[in-house]
Every structure is written in structure tokens, then in C-alpha cells.
């Protein structure tokens, strides 16, 4: 059963911020939100994760709403190399459920 | 530091043949995972091993067996391959303590995958 809902696809202009939304309305108090991306058919690449506070690292920022029912991954200055499928995952214990993700296309 | 290494990278089998996919990690992670990814779909968990000596079924375990050989290695075996098992297989590892907090919730690291075709 899917625990997250993401748009199927999105476009973003090169150099602009890419904002990828994710709904996780059934998240429980101790479940983390993780974001991964997959370029072509490579292994998924970890981006960022968080519990309730906003998080930032060298790749992206993660904004989690106060009620924790949704989050947004922000790529501040999208490049062509950011074209990929982005997965939002809510972790239950030690199992990750990937869903089908959002296919982001960065347009020159 | 190689991370997660999967062998082979490609394999073609005939229906009914058996084979073992190998996975090794050098990050001293306690948990290891096997996923499959079919075209246009996300990854689905086949089996995982929370720690050395334990294995558990994921979403799609039928037709597969696993062995956690030691802390580094986690293998996936297809005893009698079927065309429906044609897929890309990914292995992953992670440090997971189950104690909560950032230290107990580390991300998974993935290998480059094994592309398996069954004719």
C-alpha cells in the first residue's frame, strides 16, 4: 500500500528552483521522510531525509509541513544533470517502499 | 571505498535455470536489502536482512531465496528462473539500529544493479 503520493512528472527550467511535492497524510510520529533520485537505470541516490524540522544539505532542501502530512524537496538551481526520477519515501521500521516517483525533466 | 558491489552486471538465463546474484558492502552496515525494478516502476523489496544471521520477506519474495553469508555479503538466489523474473535487481545496505533518531535512521546505499533477462 502506497504511503506517499507524488505527481507523475514535472518540468523545470535550467537554473530555476525545482520544487517537488509529496503527500504523506498517514505518516506517524516516528517515521522519517526520505528522498532519493534515480538517473536513467542507475542505483537510487540518496538526497536528504528528515523527521519534522526543515533540512538542508549540499544537494537540496527538505521542507516538511508542521502537521507532517506533506513535504517539498527543493533543488535550488536545477541543472540538466538533475533530470531523474525522484522518490519520496516514508520509512516503516527497516523497510523502504519506493512507489513510482516523480519524473523531473530539466529543460535548457 | 567501493560501497555496494553487485555481480554480475548482466545475465541472460533460460527458463528453469538457477543462479545466484552476489552483493557485498564495505561500509560495515548491519542491514542489507534486495530489490527488483521492472520497467516504468519503482523498486519493490524482495528480502532484507536487518543484521547478520537474520532475513525477512519483503513485498515480493516468491521465487527467491536469500543468504546473509556474513556481515559484508548478502546473496539472492533464483532456484528456477521464470520470464516474470526478468528485471533489474538492486542491492542496498544501511546502518540501522532501530533506536530512533538520526543515528538510528541512516540512508540506504545502493549498488549499480544486475540486469537479468530470462528467456
Amino acid at each position: 500500500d502506497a504511503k506517499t503520493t507524488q505527481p507523475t512528472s514535472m518540468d523545470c527550467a535550467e537554473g530555476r528552483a525545482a520544487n517537488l511535492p509529496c503527500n504523506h497524510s498517514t505518516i506517524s510520529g516516528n517515521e522519517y521522510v526520505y528522498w532519493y533520485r534515480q538517473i536513467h537505470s542507475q542505483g537510487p541516490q540518496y538526497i536528504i531525509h528528515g523527521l519534522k524540522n526543515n533540512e538542508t544539505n549540499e544537494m537540496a532542501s527538505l521542507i516538511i509541513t508542521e502537521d507532517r502530512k506533506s513535504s517539498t524537496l527543493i533543488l535550488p538551481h536545477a541543472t540538466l544533470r538533475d533530470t531523474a526520477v525522484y522518490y519520496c519515501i516514508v520509512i516503516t521500521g527497516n523497510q523502504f517502499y519506493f512507489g513510482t516517483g516523480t519524473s523531473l525533466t530539466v529543460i535548457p | 571505498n567501493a560501497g555496494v558491489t553487485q555481480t554480475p552486471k548482466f545475465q541472460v538465463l533460460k527458463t528453469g535455470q538457477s543462479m545466484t546474484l552476489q552483493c557485498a558492502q564495505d561500509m560495515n552496515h548491519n542491514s542489507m536489502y534486495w530489490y527488483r525494478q521492472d520497467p516504468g516502476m519503482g523498486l519493490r523489496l524482495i528480502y532484507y536482512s536487518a543484521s547478520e544471521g537474520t532475513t525477512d520477506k519483503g513485498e515480493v519474495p516468491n521465487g527467491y531465496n536469500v543468504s546473509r553469508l556474513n556481515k559484508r555479503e548478502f546473496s539472492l538466489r533464483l532456484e528456477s528462473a521464470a520470464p516474470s523474473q526478468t528485471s533489474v535487481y538492486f542491492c542496498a545496505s544501511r546502518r540501522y539500529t532501530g533506536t530512533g533518531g538520526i543515528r538510528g535512521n541512516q540512508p540506504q546505499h545502493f549498488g549499480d544493479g544486475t540486469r537479468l533477462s530470462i528467456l
Side-chain angles (χ1 to χ4, degrees):
Chain A
D1 54 338
K3 299 192 69 168
T4 63
T5 304
Q6 299 177 254
T8 302
S9 62
M10 293 180 64
D11 293 337
C12 177
E14 187 178 17
R16 296 293 187 103
N19 296 281
L20 291 88
C22 180
N23 287 320
H24 31 79
S25 58
T26 61
I27 195 170
S28 63
N30 61 349
E31 290 181 322
Y32 280 72
V33 179
Y34 282 72
W35 283 84
Y36 282 78
R37 71 182 184 184
Q38 188 174 28
I39 298 172
H40 299 302
S41 296
Q42 299 175 16
Q45 176 189 24
Y46 165 76
I47 302 173
I48 198 166
H49 73 291
L51 183 63
K52 50 185 155 182
N53 297 323
N54 297 338
E55 302 288 343
T56 296
N57 62 21
E58 64 279 4
M59 290 181 68
S61 294
L62 173 61
I63 308 298
I64 302 174
T65 57
E66 192 169 345
D67 63 7
R68 302 215 319 125
K69 292 186 177 182
S70 66
S71 60
T72 301
L73 177 74
I74 301 172
L75 308 178
H77 305 287
T79 71
L80 300 179
R81 289 178 294 179
D82 292 322
T83 292
V85 177
Y86 287 77
Y87 296 99
C88 168
I89 305 159
V90 170
I91 306 307
T92 302
N94 203 9
Q95 296 193 40
F96 287 55
Y97 294 95
F98 273 76
T100 54
T102 296
S103 178
L104 174 70
T105 301
V106 179
I107 301 169
Chain B
N1 187 351
V4 179
T5 302
Q6 293 184 235
T7 55
K9 295 189 184 305
F10 302 92
Q11 184 70 47
V12 179
L13 294 177
K14 294 181 179 178
T15 297
Q17 287 186 315
S18 63
M19 89 161 287
T20 300
L21 281 61
Q22 306 287 352
C23 175
Q25 54 92 8
D26 61 3
M27 296 173 283
N28 201 34
H29 288 165
N30 57 328
S31 294
M32 297 185 73
Y33 309 78
W34 275 105
Y35 294 88
R36 62 176 288 174
Q37 186 174 31
D38 300 323
M41 297 183 66
L43 280 73
R44 291 184 291 169
L45 183 64
I46 304 171
Y47 271 93
Y48 69 101
S49 170
S51 61
E52 188 177 354
T54 68
T55 60
D56 287 285
K57 295 178 180 179
E59 296 178 78
V60 290
N62 291 342
Y64 304 95
N65 287 303
V66 291
S67 296
R68 184 72 183 269
L69 305 171
N70 48 55
K71 190 171 186 178
R72 291 187 62 249
E73 297 172 289
F74 188 39
S75 63
L76 179 72
R77 183 161 178 84
L78 287 71
E79 290 291 352
S80 179
S84 61
Q85 295 177 303
T86 293
S87 191
V88 181
Y89 291 84
F90 290 101
C91 177
S93 70
R94 176 194 191 204
R95 180 180 182 275
Y96 176 69
T97 65
T99 57
I102 286 290
R103 289 173 61 86
N105 284 276
Q106 294 298 302
Q108 290 185 343
H109 297 260
F110 285 82
D112 291 332
T114 294
R115 280 129 186 96
L116 181 61
S117 293
I118 299 161
L119 307 176

